[in-house]
Amino acid sequence: MFYVVLLAMIAGFAALRLYMVLGKRTGHEQPLPKPAEDRFAPQALPRPVEVPAEARDAPPRHMEQRAESGIRAIIAADSQFSLPTFVDGAKSAYRLILEAFWKGDEETLTWLTDDAVHTAFSQAIAERAAAGHTIENKLLSIERATVVEASLTGKQARIAVRIDADISSVTRDSDGTVIAGSLSDAIETHEIWTFARTLKSSDPNWKLVETDEA
């Protein structure tokens, strides 16, 4: 992730900014304007394409059918919300939160998670430190991220994302001896992370409010 220290700082800042706009439209969804000669050149009308009913009724990519009504409610309440952008941001948040937990970076966890989740992470970090253990984990890849549930209660939006990832994990004792895991073997993880945000609030952040196994 780091090329040199300066590039690492830039990459980290970019990742944080991506989290800050989690779920916002980027402005790149609109097609690029056509050249003048294409805009004014006569063109044949395209032949209509029949779309199968099952395709018309299928949920958008990145989302399961059961989440559709909740996502529609969120979009109706916040026209700037973008599902693909949210999913990309959720993947970035997943990486940031895991890396902060592995490093024991509670300051980062404070603004990425709500109080309950932050408390759980803090307790695990404290227990790890008390045992004299260190971990050398690495997120190798995120294979899939899919919205599985979504809801809007008042102005409180909640979106649950199933994340399938590959992680390498090593735990060492105080002497540096490996007591669990292997950096050469990837572990498949399947989790559901739920993010929440109060729409139309001055705080643009979505925070992690719940984690569970998928």
Side-chain angles (χ1 to χ4, degrees):
M1 182 177 182
F2 293 85
Y3 299 132
V4 292
V5 173
L6 179 59
L7 290 181
M9 293 174 64
I10 295 174
F13 178 76
L16 297 184
R17 291 302 300 166
L18 182 58
Y19 177 80
M20 292 289 287
V21 296
L22 191 66
K24 296 294 183 181
R25 295 189 184 274
T26 63
H28 295 293
E29 288 87 354
Q30 298 299 323
L32 295 175
K34 295 182 178 180
E37 58 271 21
D38 291 342
R39 291 199 302 268
F40 298 106
Q43 299 181 13
L45 293 175
R47 296 180 60 186
V49 178
E50 180 65 25
V51 180
E54 59 272 20
R56 291 196 301 269
D57 298 334
R61 192 165 61 94
H62 308 304
M63 180 178 69
E64 291 188 1
Q65 186 75 51
R66 56 179 167 157
E68 184 173 359
S69 60
I71 291 297
R72 289 185 183 278
I74 293 171
I75 292 174
D78 182 0
S79 61
Q80 295 300 306
F81 179 83
S82 164
L83 179 61
T85 303
F86 175 87
V87 172
D88 286 342
K91 291 191 289 186
S92 293
Y94 181 77
R95 179 182 295 276
L96 285 169
I97 292 170
L98 286 183
E99 291 179 349
F101 171 66
W102 295 335
K103 295 175 183 176
D105 181 1
E106 295 199 47
E107 182 178 355
T108 297
L109 292 173
T110 297
W111 59 267
L112 287 170
T113 64
D114 77 344
D115 292 342
V117 174
H118 178 256
T119 297
F121 278 130
S122 294
Q123 290 176 348
I125 290 171
E127 291 171 1
R128 189 172 70 209
H133 294 169
T134 58
I135 54 177
E136 299 176 11
N137 292 5
K138 183 177 181 181
L139 177 59
L140 302 176
S141 65
I142 297 176
E143 299 298 327
R144 186 180 67 165
T146 307
V147 171
V148 294
E149 291 183 6
S151 65
L152 180 64
T153 304
K155 293 184 178 180
Q156 186 71 9
R158 290 172 62 97
I159 302 178
V161 184
R162 174 185 169 127
I163 300 177
D164 301 316
D166 292 329
I167 295 174
S168 63
S169 175
V170 166
T171 302
R172 298 180 185 272
D173 62 16
S174 57
D175 296 324
T177 303
V178 175
I179 58 176
S182 169
L183 286 175
S184 60
D185 296 324
I187 300 173
E188 293 184 5
T189 63
H190 309 283
E191 299 178 279
I192 295 178
W193 283 26
T194 301
F195 298 90
R197 175 177 178 260
T198 301
L199 301 183
K200 302 293 181 68
S201 70
S202 58
D203 184 358
N205 294 336
W206 289 80
K207 287 195 172 186
L208 178 65
V209 297
E210 186 177 338
T211 65
D212 201 356
E213 293 184 0

